[in-house]
Amino acid sequence: MPFIAAFNWIHTYLNKLYEGKFLEETFRTMASGKSFADLPDELLLEIFSNLNNEDLAMSVQHVNCHWREVSQDDALWKNRIFSPEFEMSDEEISRRLKNMPALRTLVLQRGTNTRILVRDLCRSCKDIVHLEFKCSHKISNAKLKCIVKNLPNIVNLSIPLPRQYHQLEFASFLGQFQKLTTLGFTDKYFHSVEDGVLKAIADGCPCLQNINLGSSNFSDEDMKYFLERKGPHLLSFTVRCDFSLSAHRLLCECSKLQHLCYDINYNDDIQRTDMALLSKLTMLQYLTLSSFREDQTRGIPSIFQKHSLPNLVALRIEYCDGLEPAALTNVLLNCSQIKSLRVNGFELNDDCFQHIGKCVNLEYLDISVCESITDKALEYIGAGCSRLQHLDVGNCYGLTDKGIEYICNGCQRLRYLNIQSCNNITDAVFEHIIKFKELNILKIMWIHDLKGTNFNLLPSHLCCLKEFYVEGCYALEEDFLDKLQAEMPLLKVIGRYCGDEHGEEFDIDLEEVSFVMNNFLS
């Protein structure tokens, strides 16, 4: 950006953003015979803090040495995330990294040439503390060794495991991170993990407190060794694999655990009575229970007896066979402090929600695919959940306009509403929905009889609406949608043409394709 252009741009930006707040100081600087480039660091930092990563890295720092120095101030980059857009080439990513020496967080969303990326990252961004790779990235032992050597301040790392015959050396390098507190394994297309991987991590990583094991199958001995060594310090644990009874018992002794995502893959070792041991985790704040067999599911109520989890604020139960209505009732009666509840795909009935008013702090509720509930359940919710901001009742086929009216009368703070596939809903429902003055996101997909006759009510009532999902509403009349879009030009109407009209971009990692073909298609 040429200097004159930068001057004009910053001047206009300041005036618009601060309504003249800093212009007096700017004019004093200019009157004293100094140039715009001589603005004090404090003022430049205030300006630069409102720029995006692109402007900060690729524009203002090239004006002069002073601006370059200020643009790389640690305070500007402390809370910034660089997550390259999908259309950005590897060369463009590398060029930006070279201009972001103070970057703290890099999150990669797609496959890249990791050889070049790791090289430039280790040369240019020595202060990285949060680094996230996806499953499509191939991080060899040599690359990880380079990261360990050159980026010693990493605190949070998400990384895919390599193929089995490289895993033990890979784990030994992971164990060398001295400041690492959070480690996650991103899922690949395989695999059982080499015995000893968790042992190497448990013997290293002195600060480790949070771990996400992904969907990989670790050996029972390895899992037990890890829980024995690191369990007393763990704050967060996520596992989606076979889990033995002995490992389960060790997990239930992790007294500091605050976040648990527990998916035991329908394994037979843990019995119904063993589920009650989870009640010992009294510090839990977030709990996800998934993929339990019917006998284990029937033990879920015992976890919550007598307010045993007093700090629990978020609960998610999914894919658990045979969840009974009494289980949800028990949760509502014993977890009055809960703020987020997600229970999907079960044969829950209206009576399950009689006590939902006990959860006076509830803000997030997802009961989608609970096909047996009717408007009566929403009457209970509307009467008892005045703080509710997020409601998902998609695929709850027994709901009608009356149920949404109950919600509208009691949940005035709602910002997200999903009523997709509720085919008893009619166009009259918008006469109730417009009462949600703070609504940001509305999903009405796959409601086949909606025509859009009441869309004219939205512009004057839902000023905060940002996203409107209409995919699969084949009866919608184009004229109503056109008029809505004209009156709300900033509204993002999604699925109007039964899918993203621009198509979906897919990134293909040739290394992964080759691996799949060699190992599974031969």
Side-chain angles (χ1 to χ4, degrees):
M1 180 186 293
F3 181 79
I4 297 300
F7 177 93
N8 293 332
W9 179 79
I10 291 292
H11 188 279
T12 303
Y13 187 81
L14 270 174
N15 193 38
K16 180 179 180 181
L17 185 63
Y18 298 108
E19 297 179 349
K21 179 180 177 182
F22 293 113
L23 291 185
E24 184 178 346
E25 183 176 347
T26 303
F27 292 146
R28 277 202 306 270
T29 299
M30 304 299 287
S32 67
K34 297 180 179 180
S35 72
F36 191 77
D38 294 319
L39 284 174
D41 291 357
E42 181 181 357
L43 183 55
L44 283 176
L45 280 172
E46 184 69 31
I47 298 169
F48 292 169
S49 68
N50 292 281
L51 303 181
N52 58 33
N53 292 345
E54 183 73 13
D55 290 329
L56 200 57
M58 304 305 292
S59 296
V60 296
Q61 69 169 274
H62 299 291
V63 171
N64 57 44
C65 293
H66 180 208
W67 281 28
R68 180 181 181 85
E69 182 179 352
V70 174
S71 71
Q72 294 175 359
D73 191 283
D74 287 343
L76 286 175
W77 291 94
K78 183 177 180 180
N79 297 313
R80 288 179 182 264
I81 299 173
F82 178 43
S83 183
E85 299 174 354
F86 279 82
E87 59 269 20
M88 191 177 291
S89 69
D90 291 348
E91 291 75 18
E92 290 174 320
I93 294 173
S94 290
R95 190 158 56 248
R96 280 153 181 77
L97 288 176
K98 292 174 183 177
N99 286 298
M100 298 178 176
L103 182 68
R104 303 291 184 88
T105 300
L106 174 63
V107 177
L108 297 169
Q109 299 292 343
R110 63 165 178 83
T112 57
N113 185 331
T114 52
R115 181 182 62 83
I116 296 174
L117 184 140
V118 168
R119 180 199 67 192
D120 293 338
L121 182 66
C122 290
R123 288 178 179 176
S124 305
C125 305
K126 300 288 187 179
D127 295 328
I128 287 285
V129 295
H130 182 145
L131 180 58
E132 187 171 328
F133 296 102
K134 298 301 180 184
C135 63
S136 57
H137 295 114
K138 185 178 180 181
I139 307 299
S140 66
N141 289 340
K143 294 170 191 172
L144 181 57
K145 182 180 180 181
C146 183
I147 292 172
V148 171
K149 179 181 178 181
N150 293 283
L151 305 177
N153 297 318
I154 287 183
V155 172
N156 190 323
L157 177 65
S158 183
I159 196 166
L161 281 168
R163 299 169 194 174
Q164 272 186 281
Y165 47 87
H166 294 306
Q167 289 173 359
L168 288 180
E169 185 181 8
F170 192 84
S172 71
F173 288 132
L174 287 175
Q176 295 177 29
F177 282 109
Q178 297 299 301
K179 297 182 180 181
L180 192 69
T181 64
T182 302
L183 174 63
F185 293 125
T186 53
D187 292 333
K188 274 188 174 287
Y189 305 112
F190 49 106
H191 45 232
S192 292
V193 180
E194 191 75 16
D195 194 14
V197 167
L198 288 182
K199 183 179 186 299
I201 294 170
D203 288 339
C205 299
C207 298
L208 191 64
Q209 295 179 317
N210 312 283
I211 189 161
N212 182 343
L213 298 179
S215 300
S216 301
N217 285 316
F218 295 87
S219 73
D220 187 50
E221 291 303 315
D222 220 17
M223 186 76 74
K224 289 188 291 186
Y225 185 91
F226 179 85
L227 289 172
E228 286 173 349
R229 289 295 303 272
K230 294 299 188 185
H233 311 291
L234 284 181
L235 300 180
S236 173
F237 187 71
T238 297
V239 60
R240 299 181 183 89
C241 65
D242 291 341
F243 216 69
S244 71
L245 177 57
S246 52
H248 173 80
R249 288 173 175 168
L250 286 170
L251 176 64
C252 294
E253 296 298 327
C254 299
S255 58
K256 293 184 180 180
L257 209 59
Q258 298 175 11
H259 188 296
L260 174 60
C261 181
Y262 200 23
D263 182 334
I264 57 176
N265 200 27
Y266 297 104
N267 125 354
D268 293 328
D269 201 7
I270 299 170
Q271 303 300 311
R272 174 180 178 176
T273 53
D274 301 317
M275 297 299 296
L277 295 174
L278 289 169
S279 64
K280 298 168 68 176
L281 302 175
T282 57
M283 300 300 292
L284 273 185
Q285 298 179 26
Y286 305 89
L287 175 61
T288 296
L289 302 172
S290 182
S291 301
F292 287 1
R293 293 183 295 102
E294 183 170 352
D295 182 58
Q296 296 162 343
T297 300
R298 288 178 179 173
I300 288 178
S302 64
I303 301 172
F304 307 98
Q305 293 287 7
K306 299 179 180 179
H307 304 277
S308 58
L309 301 181
N311 297 298
L312 193 69
V313 295
L315 174 64
R316 180 175 179 175
I317 305 176
E318 58 184 6
Y319 310 121
C320 294
D321 295 341
L323 184 72
E324 297 178 344
L328 182 57
T329 299
N330 205 48
V331 168
L332 298 178
L333 289 174
N334 288 283
C335 301
S336 57
Q337 71 286 352
I338 203 164
K339 293 183 178 181
S340 174
L341 178 61
R342 182 170 180 174
V343 186
N344 303 126
F346 302 111
E347 291 299 319
L348 302 178
N349 56 40
D350 297 337
D351 292 340
C352 295
F353 298 91
Q354 285 189 68
H355 303 288
I356 200 165
K358 298 281 186 181
C359 304
V360 294
N361 297 316
L362 194 66
E363 297 177 356
Y364 180 108
L365 180 61
D366 183 342
I367 51 174
S368 56
V369 204
C370 292
E371 300 177 9
S372 299
I373 66 171
T374 71
D375 295 335
K376 187 65 177 178
L378 298 196
E379 184 177 7
Y380 291 133
I381 294 168
C385 304
S386 60
R387 298 187 180 184
L388 199 65
Q389 297 182 22
H390 179 114
L391 178 62
D392 190 336
V393 289
N395 298 282
C396 295
Y397 305 126
L399 301 181
T400 71
D401 298 346
K402 188 65 177 178
I404 305 305
E405 181 181 3
Y406 289 135
I407 296 296
C408 293
N409 291 336
C411 306
Q412 296 294 315
R413 301 183 184 181
L414 209 65
R415 297 182 178 181
Y416 175 102
L417 177 62
N418 183 2
I419 54 174
Q420 71 178 59
S421 299
C422 297
N423 278 314
N424 291 318
I425 297 288
T426 71
D427 281 287
V429 76
F430 291 97
E431 297 174 6
H432 308 303
I433 289 177
I434 58 173
K435 297 177 184 177
F436 297 129
K437 302 299 182 183
E438 299 180 29
L439 196 65
N440 296 148
I441 299 174
L442 175 59
K443 296 186 175 184
I444 62 168
M445 302 95 76
W446 306 104
I447 303 180
H448 298 153
D449 294 330
L450 287 183
K451 296 182 179 180
T453 53
N454 282 335
F455 283 1
N456 62 305
L457 300 174
L458 304 186
S460 57
H461 292 85
L462 300 184
C463 300
C464 297
L465 193 63
K466 298 176 181 178
E467 298 179 9
F468 188 35
Y469 292 74
V470 299
E471 182 178 358
C473 297
Y474 298 117
L476 285 183
E477 298 184 14
E478 290 295 318
D479 289 346
F480 295 129
L481 277 171
D482 290 339
K483 188 174 182 180
L484 175 65
Q485 194 73 82
E487 294 189 34
M488 301 182 74
L490 298 181
L491 178 64
K492 189 174 182 181
V493 179
I494 300 166
R496 179 172 179 177
Y497 301 106
C498 301
D500 187 350
E501 62 181 301
H502 302 295
E504 185 176 0
E505 295 184 5
F506 294 93
D507 183 72
I508 299 176
D509 190 308
L510 295 180
E511 291 177 342
E512 290 300 326
V513 171
S514 175
F515 175 73
V516 171
M517 292 180 68
N518 292 336
N519 288 272
F520 297 103
L521 302 181
S522 58

